[in-house]
Amino acid sequence: MLGLLGRVEVYQMERGWKDDAETLPMLKERARSDASADVRMAAVGELARGWKDDAETLPMLKERARSDESGGVRRTAVQELARGWKDDAETLPM
């Protein structure tokens, strides 16, 4: 249940408070270190879709794709890399 509540919170943060200065740092924190893999997956997806132009998004997706303990988070990160950064030289080898 906690994972579901966390995912809903992540989706609401991106959709409802995208212009709030606290939203992006909170999503980055959730993507890196939330205890729930479901929440990390949701945060990775929202970052990729909502903050593609942020300088830290691409490196974070690569980091999650390489090192997250959850296969689901790694898969989500790779899918988002393929969707949004297919021309990046490091995306294809991943």
Side-chain angles (χ1 to χ4, degrees):
M1 185 63 135
L2 182 58
L4 175 60
L5 291 175
R7 278 195 320 248
V8 169
E9 180 182 81
V10 166
Y11 293 135
Q12 290 302 317
M13 283 173 34
E14 194 278 333
R15 285 165 180 53
W17 298 295
K18 186 169 182 187
D19 295 328
D20 187 313
E22 297 297 316
T23 301
L24 180 57
M26 176 86 67
L27 283 173
K28 288 177 181 178
E29 179 62 27
R30 293 286 180 124
R32 284 189 181 109
S33 62
D34 197 274
S36 168
D38 288 340
V39 173
R40 292 194 311 276
M41 276 191 287
V44 162
E46 294 303 321
L47 283 168
R49 288 182 217 109
W51 285 274
K52 184 177 179 183
D53 295 330
D54 181 75
E56 294 180 18
T57 298
L58 178 57
M60 178 180 291
L61 290 175
K62 290 177 181 179
E63 171 193 329
R64 296 296 86 213
R66 289 184 181 118
S67 65
D68 197 276
E69 64 189 40
S70 165
V73 175
R74 292 191 308 271
R75 182 177 47 254
T76 298
V78 169
Q79 288 171 338
E80 294 299 345
L81 285 166
R83 181 177 297 133
W85 290 270
K86 59 183 168 251
D87 295 329
D88 180 74
E90 293 179 17
T91 296
L92 183 58
M94 286 187 171

